[in-house]
Structure formats: C-alpha cells, structure tokens
Amino acid sequence: MSLPSVSLDVSGERFQVVYHIRGNEKEALARAGAVCLEQTVEIPDDLVPEGDIRSQIVGRIESFDQVENDRFETVISYAVELSGFELTQLLNVVEGNSSMLPFVRVERLDLSTSLRAHFKGPRFGRAGLRERLGVARRPLLCTALKPVGYGPSELGELAYRFALGGIDMIKDDHGIADQPFAPFRERVKCCAGAVERANRQTGYKCIYVPNVTAPFDRLADQARFAREAGAGGLLFSPGLAGLDAMRCLADDDRLSLPILSHPALQGSFVLSPDFGISHFALHGQITRLAGADAVIYPNWGGRFGYSREDCQQIAAGCETPMGGIKAIFPVPAGGMSLERVPEMAKTYGTQVVFLIGGGLHKHGPDLVENCRYFRELAEQMEPGDGGER
Amino acid sequence: MSLPSVSLDVSGERFQVVYHIRGNEKEALARAGAVCLEQTVEIPDDLVPEGDIRSQIVGRIESFDQVENDRFETVISYAVELSGFELTQLLNVVEGNSSMLPFVRVERLDLSTSLRAHFKGPRFGRAGLRERLGVARRPLLCTALKPVGYGPSELGELAYRFALGGIDMIKDDHGIADQPFAPFRERVKCCAGAVERANRQTGYKCIYVPNVTAPFDRLADQARFAREAGAGGLLFSPGLAGLDAMRCLADDDRLSLPILSHPALQGSFVLSPDFGISHFALHGQITRLAGADAVIYPNWGGRFGYSREDCQQIAAGCETPMGGIKAIFPVPAGGMSLERVPEMAKTYGTQVVFLIGGGLHKHGPDLVENCRYFRELAEQMEPGDGGER
C-alpha cells in the first residue's frame, strides 16, 4: 500500500550531499537508502506515493563507494525545491533527522547553481576584508579582549594597546555579551573609541569587532548600535544564536560589516568521525553559506580536540569553489602563542588570520611591543606562501 | 604574571552545571579545572587576575567524584551574572567552548532561583496543554502531515481525516516548510480550516500545529500568520533556527500558542557518551527553559540511535523540578506504530504524547478508523499509570 500519488512541478535540478556511512556494505547501502527517505518524505518505503514523489522528492543515491573498511561514501541528491531556497530548511534536508543517526556523517555539500544563487554568502570575503584593513598580502592579525569581568574601561585600555601595536582586528572574547560588568552599549562605545584613537596615532585601519551574539529579539538592535558606535566588524556565534541569524547580519545592507564566526556550541557536530558534520562542511562550507567572512576554530595542538588534518580541512572548506560564494579566512585559535606562528604559517600560508589571545600577554612585559613583534612575524612571510593543503 | 585585578559587584549567587569527564583521576581533575577557565575567562591560569575575577568569575569545582572507571562527575558553579540573564549566553557558559572538548559532557543543569526567574519557560506546560485540548488524563495523541511534496489540498484532506478520527494534535512534518509544492500561507490556511471543520463535526478540540521554523527574518511573520489563520500550536526546530528563537515564540503574548519542539539537527549533541550534552539536559531541561510545551525525540527501537534509557532520561528531564519552570510532555516518535503503544505506555505512563506518523496509515485501509483505534488504545490506559522512571 502507498499513499495517493500527485503530479509535481519541479525543475529536475538537484543538489548533492556527500555522506560517509559506517557499516558493512549491505548495512551501509540500507542506511543510505534510509537517509534518502529520512531527509525527505519521512515515511516507510512501502507508503511512498508512486510518480513524482517517489521519482523527484525522495533522495536519490547517485554513487556509493567504499572508502575504508566499514565506511562508505555515498552521494545523495535532492530536488532543489525541497530546500525552499532558505538556509534553515536546506540544513534540515542536509542533516536534520540524520543528525540523530549514529552512523551517518555529512562530508561535503555540492550545491547546484540555482540553489547557490539564493545565497549571497560573505559580503566581503578574503579580498574585501583585506581591502578594508589595508593589508595586501600578509596574514591578518587578530586578538581578543578578555577576561570577562573586566569593565568597559579595562577592555578599552586593552583595545587601545592592541591597536597601537598593530593588530588588525580586535574582537571581544565570545563570552563577553551583555553582562553587568560591561554592559553591551557602554563597552562597545568605549572599545570602538579606543581603537579609533589608536588608529589616528598609527595610521592603521584596525577594526574593533564586538560580540553581538544576543537573544533573538535583541540581535538586530545590538548589531545596529555596534555599527553606529564605530565597530568595524561583528563577532557572532551561530551555534548559540543560529546560522540563519548570521546570514541576516551578513545580508543587511545597512550594517555592511565583516563578520567573524565563533564556534561556540558547534563542537559536538564535528567531534565524531561517525556522525554529525565534517570540519570541512561545517566550519568551511556552511559557515560561508551563512555569510561569515572569517571562521574561528580551535587550532590543533591547543586546548581542543581538532587535529592538524581537521584544521587543514577547514582551511580547504574556506576556499573550495562554491560558485559565487566568496572564499573566507580560516582563523585558527584556542591557546595559540607567538612561538607557534612559524608552524601555523607553514600549514596555512598567508591566506589566514592568526588569532592569539592570552598568548599575546605572555611574550614580554610590554603588550604593545608584543603586538609589534606579532606583526613583524607576519610581515616576514613571503606573499607566495601557500600553505600545505 | 597575571593581568591587573579589578573589583566586581557580584551577588555571590551561583548556578551549577553537572559535567561528566572522561580520563583517569588526574586527567579528569585537570580537565575539570580547564573547564572552569574555558567557560569563563578563557586565559591560562597564570594570567587570571587575582581578586574578584579569580574568586568570583572563574568557574568553581564544587564536587568531583568517580562514577565509573575513567569517568568522573564534577559539579562546576558559575556566577549567575556570567549568563547575562539571557539564554544565548547561558548556553555559552554551560557548553560553548566545552562543546569542542572531546571528553566533557553536560549531564544536568541546576539553575539558581534568581537565574530561573529570568526565564518564563513553557507558557502552557502539561496542565495548560491538557486544558486546551480538553483531555484530562489519558496520553495525548499526535500525528504528522506528510509527505513533503503534497499540496495544501492533499495535506488538508489528511488533516481532516486525522481530526475526524480523534487525534489531538496534527502537526506538519518538520520538513514541510515553505516549498513551492505547498507554500506556507496557503498550506496553513487549508489545514487549519480542515481541522476546524472536523472539530465542528466531532466536538473535539483538535489543534493544527504548523511548522513555523523559518529564516530569522521571516519567523515572526510566519508565526503571526499561523495564529491568525487558526493554528492551535506551533512546531519549531530549535536546532535549525535557534533555541532562543523558540523562547521568543513562547514568550510572545500576542501568539500565546503551545509549542512542539522538533529535534532536527540536535542529534549530534547527544549521540556520544563522552562529549556534548545529555539527553536529560538537552531534550528535557534546556528545551523546557527555551519554552517548548512538548518535546519530540526519536523513541528507542525506531529508526534512530536513542536507547530506552536515553528516552527515560528525556522523560525525566521533562518533569524534573526546575523552580517555576513547568513540566512538559515527552513526545517519543520516529517510526512508531500502533502495535508499540502498549509498550510505550508501560514506559511513559499517561503523561506523554504519542506521535505516530506513517504508522497510522498502516493499521488498516481506513485512516479515520485507524485514528479511532489509536484513541481507544490511549483511552484504555488507567489514569494512575505512572510509567517506569
């Protein structure tokens, strides 16, 4: 028995998702078939209406290949219309219910041309961010205002010294939100003012990047306030407040500010090789699609569980061709130090943002000098340094 | 060397998060200490300013106990002010950066009284939803309109027959968004009208619960439209569009509609015993805090990877005391059938919503009769059935 069939007006255009599926060949193939139903019609195969729903709406296995013992790669295609041409529902088709399957992992997205055309992606991308910061070739430099608990004046003073030392982007620590120690508006005014003051002295184009991650009903106001107060970019944690909220910030012509994406609450997606989403797809492709110009993630060898290969995959996802969607900067971070810059440079090349937070305080007693040293390290890199990926 | 100290005006009130940490005792204790820094100041211990930041802002280990070989339970407390009294930042303190640590899992939240007072939680909860549906004691019945690809008239016809058969809540499949096959407004009007028509015949108080998960900038409009068109509840996937967006829907007095939370894209949080968030905390406590009146999740023995114990933990998280935050309904789903109702009843008791989708079509040839049988099964349950947890 199946449900009644209907005729559908679909274009026939499909987008593809590459999944890795664990199991022996028979299990994995059955699981791939289950994904085709799970991500679309959500009914057992024997209930699927014949005709257009079976032939167009149900996911279609385009290929199925063994990649290693008990692991298969399958490409499943979906009608572009299923996405509703919106990010929330696109994510749902890619990995909504599959996120609850312990043996299916999203490896890569291959969006079709017409689907990509519905997404503007990053407003600035690498070239636009370089232009805004006046940095043609070397890696960009970023640091974080911390710790949470400091008031606007302490944070402003730190921002001033970082900017004086030649840092390009000074972001709030992502845990600095709208707490009573440093209320959002007061803090943003103070830090933006401090950076502007330093820029007048140095002639640099350093930007202050406040954290605007906020409750749903306050986000637009906070972002607008930040812009008016002189922020040069926005820090946003899509894991906390939604990938599509970030897309809205990126698409807003009245804001028109570069966006740094922070990975808070996103780690569970990537930590298992068996389920979730790959580093490449989540921190690279999906973050780009959601409008970030640069994506922060924990570098290998720091405090977190990402390997060097994971990080290289993120960097690759930041620049893999995606039609009109601009390439963005990888921002390896999380316990980085000045000592590790040469090693990071070797891996990432010059198309990278180095983010050093606490480590900048540790090099020597003078914070401004430490920043200058950081900048010198970056300036020594050859423009042709392409990194290893 | 440490950063300059400051004096802070904090209340001294703290909330607690129970984490499980993998490792031997020495490793686990070091990892607990790292979480105290990671979720707050994000600087190495030797840089932490002495005084109030070290004593009040850094997380504090309140207890540390072995629970099994290579697994320890630690209770870490945080100053309530760190949360900024908002859900986005509260989630960040609980599990923002820790989500990237492969050996730390959030097991339970113990929010303090004053922190809880900032969250309204579910507007209806169990008692409110029962009153709205006119069902005093038996389990509630829910089904889903599917498959995606059907137009408004096919979905409306299904809704009519489900309502005629005595289903209490008829929700959209969560993959039905705003696709060209069934544009949001047209679909909602059609299905809400169909359910109203059936209610006039039956005298029941069945509600239509459309999926309002939508892009950030269209969500408020869609929810308002649904309400005006006669929807009796809202289906929302916080994994796709944000937990705090759901809180806003719940808090909106102009909407004042019960909310069903769908777990799309949330599975990666709970699938590993080593990292992420427990079933109890995510699908139970956090979903409640974010305003859902009922939480859908995949029941054990269906298509997904949740065990019976995981599901019992979710049910427990739906009703564990949380101050003024109301208890909500667990909604086990995902490949359920009428045949499994007695077994589910045994586990969950009567404070549950049974959600059967495709399975309702399979019992016999007459959909309305199948629904009536479903209702009879529920009505046979004794009011005192408490379930096994």
Side-chain angles (χ1 to χ4, degrees):
Chain A
M1 157 194 170
S2 64
L3 290 164
S5 69
V6 289
S7 290
L8 290 175
D9 182 23
V10 291
S11 63
E13 188 178 329
R14 301 177 76 84
F15 68 97
Q16 303 190 327
V17 182
V18 182
Y19 297 95
H20 277 190
I21 301 189
R22 195 165 40 87
N24 64 38
E25 183 164 2
K26 195 179 156 195
E27 286 167 343
L29 192 57
R31 287 166 174 177
V35 168
C36 291
L37 296 171
E38 196 61 60
Q39 299 306 100
T40 57
V41 291
E42 280 195 78
I43 45 178
D45 188 72
D46 59 354
L47 280 180
V48 174
E50 297 304 327
D52 287 349
I53 289 195
R54 183 176 289 282
S55 68
Q56 301 294 322
I57 298 298
V58 172
R60 189 187 296 158
I61 298 176
E62 303 286 353
S63 69
F64 181 81
D65 300 289
Q66 186 158 24
V67 286
E68 58 186 74
N69 196 22
D70 268 357
R71 194 174 301 270
F72 291 79
E73 177 168 298
T74 185
V75 177
I76 295 180
S77 73
Y78 301 100
V80 293
E81 287 85 358
L82 271 176
S83 74
F85 308 102
E86 55 191 41
L87 185 60
T88 39
Q89 172 59 11
L90 174 62
L91 292 169
N92 185 43
V93 177
V94 170
E95 173 71 350
N97 273 7
S98 286
S99 77
M100 292 171 276
L101 297 173
F103 39 69
V104 176
R105 189 175 199 242
V106 173
E107 289 294 318
R108 196 167 70 246
L109 313 184
D110 287 326
L111 303 186
S112 70
T113 310
S114 84
L115 184 50
R116 269 197 313 260
H118 286 269
F119 297 99
K120 295 180 186 158
R123 178 180 289 263
F124 297 90
R126 290 180 180 176
L129 190 54
R130 284 193 176 281
E131 191 186 332
R132 222 170 157 90
L133 297 169
V135 180
R137 290 167 190 276
R138 65 163 167 80
L140 302 178
L141 309 178
C142 183
T143 190
L145 300 175
K146 49 172 92 173
V148 63
Y150 270 8
S153 64
E154 288 87 17
L155 296 170
E157 177 59 25
L158 280 172
Y160 175 71
R161 289 155 75 193
F162 285 139
L164 215 55
I167 301 296
D168 301 306
M169 296 189 278
I170 299 168
K171 73 170 188 74
D172 286 338
D173 216 13
H174 84 286
I176 295 184
D178 191 18
Q179 292 102 339
F181 330 118
F184 178 81
R185 292 185 169 222
E186 202 184 329
R187 175 183 97 242
V188 170
K189 271 195 284 193
C190 200
C191 296
V195 169
E196 196 190 333
R197 189 155 48 93
N199 280 345
R200 281 196 302 266
Q201 290 180 252
T202 60
Y204 296 153
K205 295 176 166 185
C206 173
I207 59 174
Y208 167 55
V209 182
N211 177 29
V212 296
T213 310
F216 182 86
D217 46 354
R218 294 218 304 270
L219 175 57
D221 271 358
Q222 290 204 1
R224 198 156 36 235
F225 180 86
R227 156 99 210 181
E228 283 163 13
L234 303 174
L235 177 75
F236 190 75
S237 298
L240 299 174
L243 280 157
D244 197 73
M246 187 163 78
R247 178 198 60 79
C248 278
L249 291 176
D251 284 356
D252 189 339
D253 291 332
R254 294 161 306 176
L255 289 174
S256 192
L257 288 173
I259 292 171
L260 262 69
S261 176
H262 189 283
L265 211 57
Q266 290 189 316
S268 299
F269 287 114
V270 300
L271 286 181
S272 168
D274 292 332
F275 60 79
I277 307 178
S278 74
H279 297 77
F280 177 91
L282 179 69
H283 295 306
Q285 292 185 298
I286 292 174
T287 302
R288 267 165 89 185
L289 205 58
D293 299 285
V295 59
I296 299 168
Y297 60 90
N299 202 29
W300 83 94
R303 309 187 300 259
F304 299 92
Y306 289 32
S307 71
R308 182 167 185 270
E309 195 197 338
D310 294 338
C311 295
Q312 288 174 302
Q313 283 296 309
I314 294 171
C318 286
E319 64 185 16
T320 191
M322 285 179 76
I325 309 288
K326 297 185 177 84
I328 67 172
F329 281 108
V331 190
M336 290 302 99
S337 64
L338 289 165
E339 289 68 31
R340 289 201 58 199
V341 168
E343 178 199 6
M344 289 164 74
K346 194 158 168 249
T347 298
Y348 293 109
T350 51
Q351 292 287 30
V352 64
V353 178
F354 293 136
L355 167 50
I356 301 182
L360 262 190
H361 296 276
K362 287 193 151 186
H363 184 68
D366 185 331
L367 185 58
V368 178
E369 283 307 318
N370 294 352
C371 295
R372 287 185 181 135
Y373 176 67
F374 186 18
R375 187 162 167 132
E376 279 163 27
L377 285 175
E379 285 172 344
Q380 284 161 15
M381 287 183 67
E382 294 296 323
D385 286 354
E388 295 169 353
R389 53 177 184 269
Chain B
M1 161 196 167
S2 63
L3 290 165
S5 68
V6 290
S7 290
L8 291 175
D9 183 23
V10 290
S11 63
E13 188 178 329
R14 301 176 75 83
F15 69 96
Q16 303 189 327
V17 182
V18 181
Y19 297 96
H20 278 190
I21 302 189
R22 195 164 41 87
N24 63 38
E25 182 163 3
K26 194 178 158 196
E27 286 167 343
L29 191 57
R31 287 167 174 177
V35 169
C36 292
L37 296 170
E38 196 61 58
Q39 300 306 100
T40 57
V41 292
E42 278 195 80
I43 46 178
D45 187 72
D46 59 354
L47 280 180
V48 174
E50 297 304 328
D52 286 348
I53 289 195
R54 183 176 290 281
S55 68
Q56 300 295 324
I57 299 297
V58 172
R60 190 186 295 158
I61 298 176
E62 303 286 351
S63 70
F64 181 82
D65 300 290
Q66 186 159 24
V67 286
E68 58 186 77
N69 196 22
D70 269 358
R71 193 175 303 269
F72 290 78
E73 176 167 297
T74 185
V75 177
I76 296 180
S77 74
Y78 302 100
V80 292
E81 288 84 358
L82 271 175
S83 73
F85 308 103
E86 55 191 40
L87 185 60
T88 40
Q89 171 60 11
L90 174 63
L91 292 170
N92 185 44
V93 177
V94 170
E95 173 69 352
N97 273 7
S98 286
S99 77
M100 292 171 276
L101 297 173
F103 38 70
V104 175
R105 189 175 199 243
V106 174
E107 290 294 319
R108 196 168 69 243
L109 312 184
D110 287 325
L111 303 185
S112 70
T113 310
S114 84
L115 183 49
R116 268 197 313 259
H118 286 268
F119 296 99
K120 295 180 188 158
R123 178 181 290 264
F124 297 90
R126 290 181 180 177
L129 190 53
R130 283 192 176 281
E131 192 186 331
R132 224 171 156 88
L133 297 170
V135 181
R137 292 165 188 274
R138 65 163 167 81
L140 301 179
L141 309 178
C142 183
T143 191
L145 300 174
K146 49 172 92 176
V148 62
Y150 269 8
S153 63
E154 287 88 17
L155 297 170
E157 177 59 24
L158 280 173
Y160 175 70
R161 288 156 74 192
F162 286 138
L164 215 54
I167 302 296
D168 301 305
M169 297 189 277
I170 299 168
K171 73 169 188 72
D172 286 339
D173 217 14
H174 83 287
I176 295 183
D178 192 17
Q179 292 101 340
F181 329 117
F184 178 80
R185 294 186 168 220
E186 202 185 329
R187 175 183 95 242
V188 171
K189 269 195 287 192
C190 200
C191 295
V195 169
E196 197 190 330
R197 190 156 47 95
N199 280 346
R200 281 197 302 266
Q201 290 180 252
T202 60
Y204 296 152
K205 294 177 166 184
C206 172
I207 58 175
Y208 167 55
V209 183
N211 177 28
V212 297
T213 310
F216 182 85
D217 46 355
R218 294 217 305 269
L219 175 57
D221 270 358
Q222 291 204 1
R224 197 155 37 234
F225 180 85
R227 156 100 210 177
E228 284 162 13
L234 303 173
L235 177 75
F236 190 74
S237 299
L240 300 174
L243 280 156
D244 196 73
M246 187 162 77
R247 179 198 59 79
C248 278
L249 292 176
D251 285 356
D252 189 338
D253 291 333
R254 294 162 305 176
L255 289 175
S256 192
L257 288 173
I259 293 171
L260 261 70
S261 175
H262 189 282
L265 210 60
Q266 289 188 315
S268 299
F269 287 114
V270 301
L271 286 181
S272 169
D274 292 332
F275 59 80
I277 308 177
S278 73
H279 297 79
F280 177 91
L282 179 69
H283 295 306
Q285 292 185 299
I286 292 174
T287 302
R288 268 165 88 186
L289 206 56
D293 298 284
V295 59
I296 299 168
Y297 60 90
N299 200 29
W300 84 93
R303 308 186 301 259
F304 299 93
Y306 288 32
S307 71
R308 183 166 185 267
E309 195 197 339
D310 295 338
C311 295
Q312 287 174 302
Q313 283 296 309
I314 293 170
C318 286
E319 64 186 17
T320 192
M322 286 178 75
I325 310 288
K326 297 185 178 83
I328 67 173
F329 281 107
V331 189
M336 291 302 100
S337 64
L338 290 165
E339 289 68 33
R340 289 200 59 197
V341 168
E343 178 198 7
M344 289 164 74
K346 193 158 170 251
T347 298
Y348 293 109
T350 52
Q351 291 288 28
V352 65
V353 178
F354 293 135
L355 167 49
I356 301 182
L360 262 192
H361 295 276
K362 287 193 153 186
H363 183 67
D366 184 332
L367 185 57
V368 178
E369 282 307 317
N370 294 353
C371 296
R372 287 185 182 134
Y373 176 67
F374 186 17
R375 189 163 165 134
E376 279 162 26
L377 285 176
E379 284 172 345
Q380 283 161 15
M381 288 183 67
E382 294 295 322
D385 286 354
E388 295 169 353
R389 50 176 185 271

